[in-house]
Amino acid sequence: HMPPGEAHGFLEISIGSFLRAWARQHNAGRVYGETGFRLRRNPDTVRSPDVSFVETARLPAMQPQAGFIEGAPTLAVEIVSPGDTWREVESKTRLYLDCGVREVWIVEWESRTVEVRRPGEASHIYLESETLQSAVLPGLELKVCEIFE
């Protein structure tokens, strides 16, 4: 599969660094980039969100291990690439939510928006001028414009 382009890589680091700063400040958990999560077994379903966060209570081990993480992350972030179809993004998002992800962020470079999805709730689209607040990351306030700068 083709490596992601510049905008994608930039957003991955930008979002990951915001999340990591928040996670460290609150001693809340661990942030990952493109890490495999085994969402289901038999047959195995492994997916790697562009950025993800796992809360401390669900961390698999004291130190990161070599293999995939069992189960779903608390938060999954998908950065929409130019080649992604809406159907692909939608099916990935649904899989995450069905498998226990508590919040999914769908980040779009073109529109400079972040869509937040949670199980059983209407989605919310945050515009560049707005501040994202997360139901699963207490105290996180992310000015959407800042992740694109």
Side-chain angles (χ1 to χ4, degrees), residues 23-69:
R24 290 181 69 132
Q25 185 189 342
H26 295 269
N27 197 19
R30 207 174 274 157
V31 177
Y32 300 93
E34 302 203 28
T35 296
F37 288 84
R38 188 176 284 109
L39 301 174
R40 292 185 177 138
R41 281 195 170 276
N42 302 322
D44 282 11
T45 303
V46 175
R47 292 290 180 277
S48 57
D50 295 314
V51 181
S52 53
F53 165 76
V54 178
E55 61 199 300
T56 307
R58 299 206 29 246
L59 281 173
M62 292 308 288
Q63 291 301 315
Q65 306 297 305
F68 299 136
I69 297 174

Side-chain angles (χ1 to χ4, degrees), residues 3-125:
E6 181 188 358
H8 191 285
F10 174 87
L11 283 175
E12 240 174 70
I13 294 296
S14 177
I15 293 163
S17 56
F18 271 106
L19 288 175
R20 186 160 194 259
W22 170 85
R24 290 181 69 132
Q25 185 189 342
H26 295 269
N27 197 19
R30 207 174 274 157
V31 177
Y32 300 93
E34 302 203 28
T35 296
F37 288 84
R38 188 176 284 109
L39 301 174
R40 292 185 177 138
R41 281 195 170 276
N42 302 322
D44 282 11
T45 303
V46 175
R47 292 290 180 277
S48 57
D50 295 314
V51 181
S52 53
F53 165 76
V54 178
E55 61 199 300
T56 307
R58 299 206 29 246
L59 281 173
M62 292 308 288
Q63 291 301 315
Q65 306 297 305
F68 299 136
I69 297 174
E70 291 295 332
T74 308
L75 168 75
V77 180
E78 278 299 324
I79 297 162
V80 181
S81 295
D84 293 343
T85 67
W86 189 243
R87 180 188 273 141
E88 288 170 330
V89 174
E90 192 55 43
S91 76
K92 233 187 242 182
T93 301
R94 251 202 313 275
L95 175 70
Y96 289 144
L97 295 173
D98 289 349
C99 291
V101 175
R102 291 174 48 207
E103 192 166 271
V104 178
W105 296 358
I106 301 162
V107 181
E108 278 199 80
W109 181 269
E110 293 296 312
S111 60
R112 293 185 172 234
T113 57
V114 180
E115 181 177 352
V116 176
R117 306 270 287 274
R118 297 182 196 106
E121 289 183 30
S123 75
H124 185 92
I125 295 174

